[in-house]
Amino acid sequence: MANVVVVGAQWGDEGKGKIVDWLSERADIVVRFQGGHNAGHTLVIGGNTYKLSLLPSGVVREGKLGVIGNGVVIDPWALCDEIKRLGDQGVSVTRENLRIAENATLILPLHRELDQLREESAGEGKIGTTGRGIGPAYEDKVGRRAIRVQDLKNAKTIDAKIDRLLVHHNALRAGLGKPLVDKDQLRAQLNEIAPKILPFVDVTWDLLDRERRAGKRILFEGAQGALLDIDHGTYPFVTSSNTIAAQAATGSGVGPRAVGNVLGIAKAYTTRVGSGPFPTELTDEIGQTLGERGHEFGTVTGRKRRCGWFDAVLVRQVVKVCGIDGIALTKLDVLDGFKEVKLCVGYDLDGERIDRLPAGQTGQARVKPIYETFEGWTASTRGARSWASLPAQAVKYVRHIEELIGCPVTLLSTSPERDDTILMKDPFAD
């Protein structure tokens, strides 16, 4: 059986939570491979709603192992809070169902503070960060001055690493006119949190290799969406990590051949949180209707999402960059009742038709969508569990999307309920 990577094929918030939960029931191990607690999944299981940010989706299911890979930046205080919240809901998180990569980078209080200071001082140039310290932590990682999970094991050697870190951060804070970080206070904070995190620490790349060779099914769970990728997204309005499928290998320590099938998640329309280009954005009544019907508010931030028509240009681009084998199309039911729906099939850039999103910020801001108008459907798709129960026009809409993006829709979600899912091809099958 193949392993499966799940990635967002738009700007995040595509409904990955339900799909990952649906798949995690059939997986043995669920791995988070990038991002931090700036993204989240909402899972509804047995009438209970679980909101996860750092924890892999598998931890809420008995007998599954969740792994936080080395590509994730971990706020240990946020992680402990999340573990406690699940405990209050009756889900026990122990070493039996959670392991943390020893070489993962930590998010510290100084990262959160710097993140917020930068956004406050950016004015109209704000990127739209969540202010949770994700970007500054990744900066320290590539700057080779980060405190990593394994550093919590040795209080004697951590002093020198804190000194190296503070040379950089205190210089920044002084330039911003802010108080310097107190070394003793930071060390005390780390010493206090260490015993709560260390029981979960493991050599996860080796663990995953052993389990893979033993024939266990592994589900690699991405956060956010491919259009927020630091290299391939709408830069600079992106996140600070690689969100494309290839990061599943790098961010978990397995070889690329071990990754397996790539399942992309896309909404039947498009949404985006925060700043940045959005060619098909609708600021009219239709956009408002999409947001209301789709309950478009961020799981973590609660921020209202911008809404627009399905952008086949962007999803086709993501299919190529991520090597997506199949698309899970979600929230088809939100389009029920529209007399007509539109699909973006190309862009107009200064009078020239193009079939990709420009890499440059100014070009991205200038593109105008070229639409194809599609007849809508009046019958409801909500709760449909077979193709036969879908309105004929809705089926045509899905099939046309397949043609436009050059990729089959292998799974269709028709409501937030996990069983309201139509499966055309099993992602775990070779």
Side-chain angles (χ1 to χ4, degrees), residues 10-12 227 234 237 267 269-283 287 290 296 304-311 314 344 347 357 361 363-369 371:
Q10 292 159 319
W11 278 293
L227 293 171
T234 49
F237 303 100
K267 281 177 182 166
Y269 52 102
T270 310
T271 63
R272 176 166 200 170
V273 171
S275 306
F278 187 169
T280 66
E281 182 175 12
L282 298 170
T283 56
L290 290 172
E296 297 298 352
K304 185 178 179 181
R305 298 174 186 140
R306 301 153 64 190
C307 299
W309 295 121
F310 186 87
D311 192 330
L314 287 180
C344 176
Y347 296 140
L357 187 68
Q361 184 178 350
Q364 291 174 359
R366 295 201 313 276
V367 295
K368 297 177 181 178
Y371 285 120

Side-chain angles (χ1 to χ4, degrees), residues 232-251:
H232 300 282
T234 49
Y235 191 91
F237 303 100
V238 292
T239 193
S240 300
S241 61
N242 287 110
T243 58
I244 62 171
Q247 179 64 16
T250 305

Side-chain angles (χ1 to χ4, degrees), residues 190-269:
L190 291 171
N191 288 341
E192 181 183 8
I193 201 69
K196 300 176 183 179
I197 299 297
L198 290 176
F200 300 103
V201 177
D202 206 342
V203 184
T204 54
W205 62 265
D206 190 45
L207 166 71
L208 292 172
D209 182 68
R210 293 197 310 270
E211 297 290 13
R212 181 182 64 82
R213 292 177 185 276
K216 297 293 179 68
R217 290 176 173 176
I218 303 174
L219 178 63
F220 298 92
E221 174 186 9
Q224 301 155 307
L227 293 171
L228 293 174
D229 185 273
I230 188 67
D231 289 304
H232 300 282
T234 49
Y235 191 91
F237 303 100
V238 292
T239 193
S240 300
S241 61
N242 287 110
T243 58
I244 62 171
Q247 179 64 16
T250 305
S252 60
V254 302
R257 291 184 179 177
V259 166
N261 288 333
V262 180
L263 180 67
I265 317 294
K267 281 177 182 166
Y269 52 102

Side-chain angles (χ1 to χ4, degrees), residues 110-111 114-115 118 133-141 169 240:
L110 55 84
H111 293 128
L114 179 60
D115 205 357
R118 284 175 172 170
I134 311 298
Y138 274 116
E139 288 176 39
D140 284 343
K141 177 180 179 177
H169 277 272
S240 300

Side-chain angles (χ1 to χ4, degrees), residues 383-398:
R385 298 183 182 181
S386 69
W387 279 107
S389 58
L390 289 172
Q393 199 61 25
V395 173
K396 291 180 182 178
Y397 179 76
V398 175

